Amino acid sequence: MTTHATSRTDRRRATEARILDSARGLFAAKGFDRTTIRAVAASAGVDPALVMQYFGSKRGLFTQAVQAPSSAPRTSEGGEAGDGEALLDHLLVTLGLKLGGLPDGTLAMLRSMLTDPAAADHARGALDRQIAGIGDALSTDGDAGDAELRAALIVTTMVGVTIGHQLLSLTTLRDAPADRVTALLRPALEALAQPPG
Amino acid sequence: MTTHATSRTDRRRATEARILDSARGLFAAKGFDRTTIRAVAASAGVDPALVMQYFGSKRGLFTQAVQAPSSAPRTSEGGEAGDGEALLDHLLVTLGLKLGGLPDGTLAMLRSMLTDPAAADHARGALDRQIAGIGDALSTDGDAGDAELRAALIVTTMVGVTIGHQLLSLTTLRDAPADRVTALLRPALEALAQPPG
DNA sequence: GTCTATAGACAGATAGAC
DNA sequence: GTCTATCTGTCTATAGAC
């Protein structure tokens, strides 16, 4: 009977996934501190104690929620793009202005990184890694000493636009079509991608 | 005796100022939620009840702290700069990479705006106003329909760099001299300031 | 006016019934 | 395995002693 259509393990996994989805949504909307285990449980239609049983602690739930693959479309995180133009295209897509926004896991991280030290560490690590990757890509063609600094400015620029658009809903940005935003942003990023000389 | 060197009112104002300074520092470092009245009182060397007595509530303390003029140098907030080049210079100064960082009041707002709805409203309003101001300045010389959108991207870019530098302490940005950052950022902002055609 | 004591609420985590 | 009940801690805010 363990090969049944919906075994015990299957049901458990399904419940776990539902909890993680609810957690992602709430963490993305309200951040780590203001999201309660109770609210996650209510949203997922389970008992609060069950959430603890599955994930051990609120921190454990957060970590799993932001790391686990969500049902939303995945925008590749690593900066493993080709060269020049392709890199910028890749970055502009990563911005998530197309396809209706970034996955909730990413939004949860962005939302919490300024107030939760653990989230800040995680985000710092991820951004530093992305900066290093882009820095390498930038220093191959047209070299300069500050490729990594330019990469950092590219990344932080995109973080800023993302925050303004997805998390703050600045009226001007929210009402603008994605194509227009990317079109206007492209020359600016190109300026950063090119060596200063 | 009311004209004494340090009257009762003077002492009260001094204590109030000390509390506000402590509050600004803690709000800037840890955000609204994680900053407690107790911690502010301890940092200022007063009784927690006194803080409540003076400011009514934690929210009142936060509002006063981020709005009141601090002892730190003030970077003009309004976007009342001249034209073109002067505007960019003004913005690059506002970035606060020079003069050792932004005032704690501003940092407290930035720190809390993603997780505290009241702070988010405040920040949204301030940023929207700044965007409108810059948008007006951009549409005077060299007109285009999306001046305000370009202004929004300029502002969010600076927000992103500020967050990466002051609040996340991204290693690449923290170790870079301010001149280098502003020098690299200038062409990017110029690209955004110019009409797409 | 300033501080002590505490009310009142809410959260995360745990123990044990079923 | 799942849920009820509760423990423990922390916070804002208030009431009242001094």
Side-chain angles (χ1 to χ4, degrees), chain A residues 57-125:
Chain A
S57 68
K58 183 180 176 181
R59 179 68 55 191
L61 174 62
F62 181 76
T63 306
Q64 295 257 6
V66 300
Q67 284 180 351
S70 74
S71 48
R74 245 273 160 281
T75 64
S76 68
E77 290 205 1
E80 359 71 353
D83 58 340
E85 291 286 324
L87 177 73
L88 284 183
D89 282 333
H90 176 74
L91 290 176
L92 287 170
V93 173
T94 309
L95 234 188
L97 286 164
K98 307 176 177 178
L99 287 174
L102 294 160
D104 275 352
T106 307
L107 291 181
M109 274 298 312
L110 285 175
R111 175 82 71 188
S112 306
M113 74 182 174
L114 297 188
T115 39
D116 179 61
D121 285 346
H122 192 120
R124 214 189 332 266

Side-chain angles (χ1 to χ4, degrees), chain B residues 73-84:
Chain B
R74 246 271 162 282
T75 65
S76 67
E77 289 205 2
E80 359 70 353
D83 58 340

Side-chain angles (χ1 to χ4, degrees), chain B residues 3-69:
Chain B
T3 54
H4 226 43
T6 59
S7 69
R8 259 180 299 269
T9 320
D10 281 344
R11 289 186 129 273
R12 147 125 195 184
R13 281 200 207 288
T15 311
E16 226 182 68
R18 211 169 63 246
I19 293 172
L20 283 175
D21 264 345
S22 296
R24 253 188 300 272
L26 285 171
F27 281 134
K30 308 176 53 166
F32 181 80
D33 285 343
R34 299 212 176 182
T35 297
T36 65
I37 299 269
R38 287 159 156 87
V40 171
S43 165
V46 300
D47 192 274
L50 196 67
V51 179
M52 294 297 298
Q53 184 76 11
Y54 283 0
F55 301 97
S57 68
K58 183 181 176 180
R59 180 67 55 189
L61 175 62
F62 180 76
T63 306
Q64 294 257 3
V66 300
Q67 285 180 350

Side-chain angles (χ1 to χ4, degrees), chain A residues 29-34 59 110-117 120 123-124 127-128 131 145-146 148-150 152-153 156-157 159-161 163-164 167-173 176-177 180-181 184-185 187-188 191-192 196, chain B residues 29-34 59 110-117 120 123-124 127-128 131 145-146 148-150 152-153 156-157 159-161 163-164 167-173 176-177 180-181 184-185 187-188 191-192 196:
Chain A
K30 308 175 54 165
F32 181 80
D33 286 343
R34 299 214 177 181
R59 179 68 55 191
L110 285 175
R111 175 82 71 188
S112 306
M113 74 182 174
L114 297 188
T115 39
D116 179 61
R124 214 189 332 266
L127 292 176
D128 277 345
I131 288 169
D146 42 14
E148 191 165 308
L149 180 52
R150 286 182 287 121
L153 293 176
T156 52
T157 292
V159 167
V161 175
I163 286 176
L167 301 184
L168 279 180
S169 293
L170 295 181
T171 53
T172 309
L173 275 186
R180 199 105 74 97
V181 175
L184 288 174
L185 216 46
L192 287 174
Chain B
K30 308 176 53 166
F32 181 80
D33 285 343
R34 299 212 176 182
R59 180 67 55 189
L110 286 174
R111 175 82 70 187
S112 306
M113 74 182 174
L114 296 188
T115 39
D116 178 62
R124 213 187 335 264
L127 292 176
D128 277 344
I131 289 169
D146 42 15
E148 192 165 307
L149 180 52
R150 287 182 285 122
L153 293 175
T156 51
T157 293
V159 168
V161 175
I163 286 175
L167 301 184
L168 280 181
S169 292
L170 296 181
T171 53
T172 309
L173 275 187
R180 200 104 75 95
V181 175
L184 288 174
L185 216 46
L192 287 173

